[in-house]
Amino acid sequence: MTRVFSGMQPTGDVHLGNLLGALQRWVHDQHTTDAIHCVVDLHALTVPQDPAALRDATLRLSQMFLAVGLDPDVCTVFVQSHVAEHSGLAWLMECTASIGELQRMTQFKDKGGRASFVSGGLLTYPALMAADILLYDTDEVPVGDDQRQHVELARDLAERFNSRYGPTFTVPRATFPKAGARVMDLQDPTSKMSKSAATASGTILVLDEPKVVERKIKRAVTDTESEVRFDVAAKPGVSNLLSILGGATGRTPEEAAAGYTQYGPLKADTAAAVVALLEPIQARFRELEADPAETQRLLAVGAAKARGTAAATLARAREHIGLLDA
């Protein structure tokens, strides 16, 4: 069975774009792949964090993973920092990567140029990401365009390490699965939905109450025409609503457009579909939220399962690179 690795940072509440664009696919694919899903809390440390807020965000994202349908009996769900081998292999990857490779990472150049404080971790975190992937003999890493460069670096580091020290790592490949719903900001449909958007009215959070969801969708930007059709270039607002409606009901945006001649019914049906999608997720999340010990137990099971593979990989890498056994 193909082994797949994916992770998500605990940096704010999960929104509809995360759900329709990635998490729904993770839930579906866990039944056809050997899936490993990780809350990558160490990556969040590349910028200063409030300790209590980071712990809370890590627990909440773990609970959201479970609430959307990731099944610990089917896939592996854990927190990155609970498996020390991630940090151990990251150092070997830092020593395998060149400074030039790390400096050329697009996200480092973008974020480093805007920040008043640039941590060393912001430069080296692609080496940690490579370690995340390589620890599990990963075959495939499903990514969007913004992460393509990091998976290519992981491939390069695996091949370089294997060439220098002998066969050690499975060389992963980036995959670009059929995209989930293309979810854009409801107030600025030319920009992706984001938890860091300038206005909260453009982003639907998975934990938003039904009335809030309905209000945000009712106020979504459309256009001055009245025709309902999927045309991202000419009608980005309407196309965004169709993507959301399609994603929430298991249809393509083109299929979702059938039968609509006015924006009002489209918005009403989109809101109803999103509310129906979110209600069972919210109910399950509240159950998990009320019993944090159960979440911790499930995460400990996942970490133990992950550590079994990660420890063997790190031991192999340490031996091949020439480190003396303890």
Side-chain angles (χ1 to χ4, degrees), residues 2-9 18 21-27 29-30 33-41 43 61 65 70 75-80 86 129 132-134 136 138-144 147 151 172-177 306:
T2 300
R3 179 166 290 167
V4 175
F5 179 92
S6 292
M8 188 176 290
Q9 283 196 45
N18 302 136
L23 292 174
Q24 277 192 331
R25 186 175 66 240
W26 293 6
V27 171
D29 289 352
Q30 68 180 329
T33 64
D34 181 5
I36 299 172
H37 298 296
C38 179
V39 178
V40 288
D41 56 337
H43 286 287
L61 182 56
F65 278 9
L70 289 178
C75 65
T76 304
V77 180
F78 68 103
V79 173
Q80 181 187 30
H86 285 259
M129 182 172 172
D132 298 337
I133 296 166
L134 300 181
Y136 298 102
T138 301
D139 299 304
E140 296 182 355
V141 187
V143 293
Q147 293 294 329
V151 180
R173 58 185 176 275
T175 60
F176 307 93

Side-chain angles (χ1 to χ4, degrees), residues 75-270:
C75 65
T76 304
V77 180
F78 68 103
V79 173
Q80 181 187 30
S81 64
H82 293 179
V83 180
E85 286 79 3
H86 285 259
S87 299
L89 186 58
W91 176 246
L92 302 190
M93 292 299 99
E94 288 178 37
C95 294
T96 305
S98 73
I99 190 71
E101 286 173 315
L102 298 176
Q103 289 174 330
R104 286 193 295 272
M105 291 288 109
T106 301
Q107 290 197 19
F108 171 72
K109 291 189 288 186
D110 290 346
K111 294 179 180 180
R114 298 195 305 265
S116 58
F117 169 79
V118 180
S119 73
L122 188 62
L123 175 66
T124 61
Y125 91 92
L128 174 58
M129 182 172 172
D132 298 337
I133 296 166
L134 300 181
L135 271 175
Y136 298 102
D137 297 321
T138 301
D139 299 304
E140 296 182 355
V141 187
V143 293
D145 285 339
D146 60 335
Q147 293 294 329
R148 181 193 302 254
Q149 190 180 31
H150 292 107
V151 180
E152 288 304 312
L153 178 65
R155 287 179 55 85
D156 291 343
L157 297 184
E159 291 172 343
R160 185 176 304 155
F161 196 100
N162 290 347
S163 176
R164 288 177 178 176
Y165 307 114
T168 307
F169 299 117
T170 298
V171 179
R173 58 185 176 275
T175 60
F176 307 93
K178 185 177 180 180
R182 180 179 181 271
V183 180
M184 312 301 282
D185 190 286
L186 294 172
Q187 294 300 312
D188 178 13
T190 61
S191 301
K192 290 177 65 175
M193 187 173 284
S194 170
K195 47 202 165 193
S196 60
T199 172
S201 60
T203 300
I204 295 174
L205 301 179
V206 171
L207 296 179
D208 275 345
E209 295 181 358
K211 292 296 184 184
V212 174
V213 173
E214 292 168 1
R215 183 172 66 249
K216 289 179 178 180
I217 292 178
K218 181 179 179 180
R219 296 176 179 176
V221 169
T222 51
D223 55 53
T224 57
E225 298 179 6
S226 60
E227 182 184 4
V228 177
R229 72 177 190 276
F230 185 71
D231 184 339
V232 174
K235 301 172 74 68
V238 174
S239 297
N240 188 34
L241 291 172
L242 291 170
S243 289
I244 293 171
L245 177 58
T249 57
R251 294 177 291 170
T252 67
E254 292 83 0
E255 291 170 342
Y260 290 102
T261 58
Q262 295 179 315
Y263 296 159
L266 171 63
K267 288 184 173 182
D269 288 353
T270 300

